[in-house]
Structures are given as structure tokens and as C-alpha cells.
Amino acid sequence: MAEKQFRTTIGGQALIEGILMRGPEKQAIVVRGPEGLVVKEEALTLIKDKYPVLGWPLLRGGVTFIDSMVKGVKALMFSADYFPEEDAGEGEPSKFEKWLDEKLGNEKMEKVVIGFSVVLAVCFAVGLFMLLPTFLASFVELATDSVLARNLADAALRIVIFMAYLIVVSRMKDIRRVFSYHGAEHKTIFCYEKRLELTVENVRVQPKHHPRCGTSFLLVVIIVAILVNTVVFALFPVENVFLRMLVQLLLLPLVAGIAYEFNRYVGGHDNPVASFFAKPGLWMQNFTTFEPDDSMIEVAIEAMKRVIPQEEGKDAW
């Protein structure tokens, strides 16, 4: 019987000229700054360690998503500090910046900025990919007087808007470079899972599409939301479009929980069912994952080496 392929829980995120890797014990940010590699390591603290109930199935999905968002925004801010905008002046801070610094201090101000950024990102994603399609689909119902037509239009609009967004941002030069670091992250994880030495040569030949990519989670969330909303509104019809949007917001924690458990199953199994359901996420990575150069791979390797646990197997999926 063939040995089951090793799968790691280590995952990452592409940054501005860098990569964040998260292991079971700590996370590492590695950025290629103007003067070389910059490294920041932190012990990994999870909210479920303090509140075990938040680690239960269906509950852990939303908690993990928000936690990853917060840590991801922090890492992006850290990487951005090494690449200020070219047109940014070196003048004195504005009165507003001075007031914030005086009232909150650097540490508190950073928390406020991170919190605002996370809320803004979540509101943008929910509004663009979920609420906007529902609002637009309501006009289809008015024109056809058909709930079925409305539901089909809602589902189609969600997927079309999501894919259009990915296609547009993937064509931006700076974003493409970030997505190349995303490819370096995937290749490095593949190399580690195959128990190969982490060298540029070994990493370079690995696939850039990974079946356990975290960004595929967004596509799964949209599909699960379509299914959950269809069932809920079939059992409990809601005619008012704004009330329907409110119900969708209330269902988001359940949707995120189901999507997370789905991703865990697909990522942890090798069978025809899992392979079939992994294909949409792999296809989507054509827009979010590009081939890296060797310097990007070096960053990914450095980040990976710093989060591999000393106890072998502790990071097993």
C-alpha cells in the first residue's frame, strides 16, 4: 500500500515583496527590502486556545477567517513600511496624524488602523460579492415576476462579479508581482510536503497551484452562500430585498463555517470526490498565482524554514 502523502498545516500569504508563513507554533514575515532580507518572527497565539468553544466545527471557520485577516493586514503594513510611495513627501506629519499620535500613541493607532482596514475589507467583499448581486437580482424578479429567475440571476451575478474582479486586479503590474510571491509560497509548500531539501532548484520545479490554497476559500464561500440562501429563502420566503440582504448578513457566520469545513475535507483527502471539488479552486488560481523568480523563491524558503516545528509531524494536516 502506497504511503499517504504528507500534508502540512503550514500556510502563507503573499505580501509586498515578501511572504508571511504561519506554522503551528509561530509565524514569520520575510521581506526583501532595499538592503536585503528583513525577518520578523512571532509566536502564534490563537483565540481558540483561550476560548476552546471557538475551535469547534462550524464555529472555527469564521473565527479563523477574521484572525487570518487581522494577522494578514499587520503583515501587509509591515512589508509596506519598506516600500514607501515614490511620490510621498518627507515633510512634517499632518495635524490629523499628530493628533492621532498624541491621543492614541503609535501602538494604539496601529490597532485602530488594522481594525479599520479589516472592517473595510470585509465590508467591501460582502458588499461587492454578496449584497450587490442580491440587489441587482431584485430587478430581475420585478421584470419577470419569477423567484426562480431572481435566484438564478443572483447566483450568476455573484460568480461573474467575483471572476471579473480577479481578472481586473490580476492585470495590475504591482498586484501581479504580489501574485508571483503567492506562487513562490505554493511551490515552497509543495517542496516541503514532498520531503525535498528546500533549495531554489527543488522549489522552482514544483506546481504553482496548490489544492489547499487559502484564497480558494473565497470562491467556496460564494458557492456555499448561494446554496444556503437558496434553501433558507425557499423555506422562509423574504420578499423585501433589503430584509433579504440583512438575513444574508446574519447567515454569514454559518456560511463561513461550512466553507471552512469543506476546505478542510477537500484538503485532507485523496479521492475522486475531493479532487472534483478542488478543481474550481485550482482553476481560480490561474488569476491569483503566477510564476515566481528565484529571488521570490529565496524569500519563501526563508519564511518556511523559520516556521517548521522542531517536533516532526506536529504540523501534519
Side-chain angles (χ1 to χ4, degrees), residues 66-77:
I66 296 299
D67 182 64
S68 297
M69 285 281 291
V70 172
K71 288 182 169 62
V73 169
K74 285 183 178 180
L76 275 172
M77 291 175 61

Side-chain angles (χ1 to χ4, degrees), residues 88-99 101:
E90 296 293 334
E92 289 292 319
S94 67
K95 291 183 178 180
F96 179 67
E97 290 174 325
K98 290 181 178 178
W99 181 84
D101 188 42

Side-chain angles (χ1 to χ4, degrees), residues 58-63 65-66 119 121-131 158 217-218 220-226 228-229 232-233 244-260:
L58 292 184
L59 290 179
R60 59 189 176 186
V63 174
F65 175 71
I66 296 299
V119 171
V122 171
C123 289
F124 173 79
V126 171
L128 182 62
F129 305 133
M130 295 189 175
L131 300 185
R158 288 173 189 243
F217 176 75
L218 297 176
V220 176
V221 165
I222 289 176
I223 295 173
V224 171
I226 292 172
V228 169
N229 292 335
V232 170
F233 293 131
R244 198 157 57 240
M245 291 162 68
L246 176 61
V247 172
Q248 290 181 6
L249 289 176
L250 295 176
L251 290 172
L252 268 180
L254 174 63
V255 169
I258 295 174
Y260 180 80

Side-chain angles (χ1 to χ4, degrees), residues 1-271:
M1 185 176 179
E3 183 181 355
K4 182 180 178 181
Q5 180 183 343
F6 172 70
R7 295 180 177 85
T8 181
T9 57
I10 295 175
Q13 175 185 324
L15 306 173
I16 301 172
E17 296 299 327
I19 285 178
L20 160 70
M21 284 284 190
R22 296 179 66 182
E25 300 170 326
K26 60 182 178 178
Q27 69 175 27
I29 301 170
V30 179
V31 177
R32 185 174 291 282
E35 299 180 1
L37 294 186
V38 180
V39 178
K40 180 181 180 182
E41 290 187 31
E42 294 178 318
L44 194 60
T45 57
L46 302 175
I47 192 170
K48 68 178 183 179
D49 296 335
K50 187 174 182 181
Y51 304 102
V53 66
L54 297 180
W56 291 3
L58 292 184
L59 290 179
R60 59 189 176 186
V63 174
T64 301
F65 175 71
I66 296 299
D67 182 64
S68 297
M69 285 281 291
V70 172
K71 288 182 169 62
V73 169
K74 285 183 178 180
L76 275 172
M77 291 175 61
F78 177 82
S79 65
D81 284 343
Y82 292 91
F83 301 94
E85 295 182 14
E86 293 180 1
D87 58 347
E90 296 293 334
E92 289 292 319
S94 67
K95 291 183 178 180
F96 179 67
E97 290 174 325
K98 290 181 178 178
W99 181 84
L100 283 177
D101 188 42
E102 179 183 344
K103 297 296 182 182
L104 300 178
N106 288 333
E107 186 175 345
K108 288 185 177 179
M109 185 167 66
E110 181 183 2
K111 290 181 179 179
V112 170
V113 172
I114 290 171
F116 178 76
S117 300
V118 170
V119 171
L120 189 64
V122 171
C123 289
F124 173 79
V126 171
L128 182 62
F129 305 133
M130 295 189 175
L131 300 185
L132 178 61
T134 297
F135 179 74
L136 295 177
S138 65
F139 293 102
V140 175
E141 183 181 14
L142 289 175
T144 63
D145 195 28
S146 170
V147 174
L148 176 60
R150 181 198 72 198
N151 291 341
L152 291 175
D154 192 346
L157 283 168
R158 288 173 189 243
I159 295 175
V160 168
I161 291 174
F162 181 62
M163 295 311 304
Y165 173 81
L166 288 183
I167 292 171
V168 170
V169 299
S170 68
R171 294 179 180 276
M172 299 178 181
K173 181 180 178 182
D174 291 340
I175 300 298
R176 285 186 68 91
R177 188 159 179 84
V178 172
F179 286 170
S180 292
Y181 272 99
H182 192 193
E185 173 218 328
H186 284 183
K187 286 173 172 281
T188 303
I189 291 174
F190 260 127
C191 185
Y192 170 67
E193 290 181 324
K194 292 179 180 179
R195 304 295 195 181
L196 299 174
E197 184 182 359
L198 291 175
T199 64
V200 172
E201 291 73 21
N202 287 341
V203 170
R204 189 191 299 129
V205 297
Q206 303 303 322
K208 68 177 187 293
H209 294 173
H210 200 287
R212 292 184 297 287
C213 173
T215 54
S216 301
F217 176 75
L218 297 176
L219 178 62
V220 176
V221 165
I222 289 176
I223 295 173
V224 171
I226 292 172
L227 298 176
V228 169
N229 292 335
T230 299
V231 172
V232 170
F233 293 131
L235 296 174
F236 308 99
V238 178
E239 297 301 324
N240 184 280
V241 61
F242 296 105
L243 184 56
R244 198 157 57 240
M245 291 162 68
L246 176 61
V247 172
Q248 290 181 6
L249 289 176
L250 295 176
L251 290 172
L252 268 180
L254 174 63
V255 169
I258 295 174
Y260 180 80
E261 300 305 325
F262 174 85
N263 270 11
R264 283 184 63 88
Y265 173 81
V266 171
H269 293 80
D270 275 326
N271 57 51

